[in-house]
Amino acid sequence: MSSGGGTPKATGQSLSSAATAKDRIVALIVSDPHDDIEGINLVREKMSQDGIHVDFVLCPGDITTMPNKDYTKRPGDEELGVFEKKTLKVLKALAEIAPDPSRLLWIPGNHDPLTLFQEAKAGTQPTNINPEILNGNLHGKVVEIAPQLMIGGWGGCVEALEDGKQVWVPYPYPEAQLKDRIKALESILEKGLKTNGDNPGSSSSSSLLLMTHSGPDLSSTVKVTGVDPNSLNKPGLRSHIINSGSASLSRLLSSPMIQKSCILSMHGHTHQGMGLARVGGVPILNPGSILHTGSYSLVTLRKKKQTSTTEKSEHKEGDKPIHNYKGPWYVADIRTLFLERNANDA
């Protein structure tokens, strides 16, 4: 991890192995735990009771509860000590659901230590986080998790606006800076998508998953319409909607290459925006907050079976692909579930 300032160097790496060299992958998405280890353990118990075995655990940020700080300043001892330790505890709990720690992939949110971002001004890496778990940090990275299946990540949030006024602060960079900073990720995504074929979306190319903390501003999943940003069922509407999404992420998703290759974009941050939407042809999933809405998602991915040289494919009976472009992978199923603990909030 880089600890200097400036634009991060997005990198590509591979997690492909015999474990993922198959035509079906199940991913558990747990977002915005905010130190809710109890909730994570309840998810683990539920997975065990139902006999569900996941291949990957994904966490789109807000792992802990650190107050937002000025990102231009070196983090203080409290942040580096207390909140890194809290982050590690949560990541360890999530890693216990995964087949092994390398199958936990995550990004930092706006309540996570600055040292988890490559733009950190501190002169050191996190000192309290297990290196194996730390390697799962996808901020500014692209990883191949199975043959012809990549995932890219970007953490943090931009400012949220209500009636044209800022109501939630950006961290660690505002929208005005994100456009240039995210170019590194865009570049590595385009390079990776072209690696296996010059025709994005074809069976010879790669399919793409995106995981960000804040979502694209064009999606309904970044809008807070209710009076309580942390509740799904409290009656009442806000006088003005809070939009917590990023225009830069919308531009990234709007590019022709991403539109043809991205089979799912996931984000957290906006607890009350939990749900499924689309930006163009790309499905957008916000699983909600395991702490506040008690919700999490299970996503099943399948690899298409080639039946001819004309790229016809067959799916198992009952599968209705959520994304129908010609890439090698598709989303066969998305389920968002609720903890019984939060049943009254569902």
Side-chain angles (χ1 to χ4, degrees), residues 7-204:
T7 302
K9 294 181 179 179
T11 59
Q13 63 188 75
S14 176
L15 285 175
S16 294
S17 67
T20 54
K22 53 185 182 180
D23 63 2
R24 179 177 181 271
I25 289 176
V26 177
L28 170 68
I29 308 169
V30 178
S31 190
D32 294 67
H34 295 286
D35 296 321
D36 185 16
I37 293 177
E38 176 191 80
I40 293 170
N41 289 337
L42 288 173
V43 173
R44 177 170 53 82
E45 292 170 9
K46 181 64 174 173
M47 297 292 100
S48 178
Q49 290 170 4
D50 293 348
I52 298 174
H53 302 283
V54 302
D55 298 291
F56 289 92
V57 175
L58 308 177
C59 181
D62 273 2
I63 299 161
T64 186
T65 52
M66 189 198 74
N68 291 134
K69 294 186 177 182
D70 184 347
Y71 73 94
T72 63
K73 298 178 181 178
R74 178 186 174 89
D77 291 340
E78 180 183 36
E79 177 184 331
L80 289 174
V82 173
F83 289 107
E84 282 184 4
K85 288 178 180 178
K86 286 186 174 185
T87 299
L88 177 58
K89 287 181 180 179
V90 176
L91 291 175
K92 280 183 174 179
L94 288 168
E96 289 181 3
I97 308 176
D100 63 70
S102 70
R103 304 292 169 178
L104 168 62
L105 303 174
W106 54 276
I107 51 175
N110 57 298
H111 288 289
D112 297 323
L114 187 64
T115 46
L116 301 180
F117 293 85
Q118 293 169 314
E119 293 86 348
K121 301 296 183 180
T124 180
Q125 298 187 83
T127 56
N128 298 293
I129 297 182
N130 181 311
E132 190 171 23
I133 293 178
L134 185 62
N135 287 338
N137 185 352
L138 280 185
H139 176 64
K141 296 179 182 178
V142 179
V143 170
E144 184 181 66
I145 60 174
Q148 295 181 277
L149 179 62
M150 304 189 308
I151 182 169
W154 194 268
C157 74
V158 298
E159 58 272 25
L161 303 178
E162 182 179 21
D163 195 24
K165 300 176 182 178
Q166 178 176 296
V167 289
W168 300 345
V169 298
Y171 178 90
Y173 22 64
E175 184 72 72
Q177 296 181 13
L178 184 58
K179 181 180 178 180
D180 290 330
R181 290 183 180 273
I182 207 169
K183 285 181 180 178
L185 178 65
E186 186 174 6
S187 176
I188 198 71
L189 283 173
E190 291 184 355
K191 181 179 179 181
L193 290 172
K194 289 180 178 179
T195 296
N196 293 324
D198 293 330
N199 184 17
S202 71
S203 62
S204 62

Side-chain angles (χ1 to χ4, degrees), residues 272-283:
Q272 213 244 350
M274 187 212 78
L276 187 65
R278 285 182 182 271
V279 171
V282 178

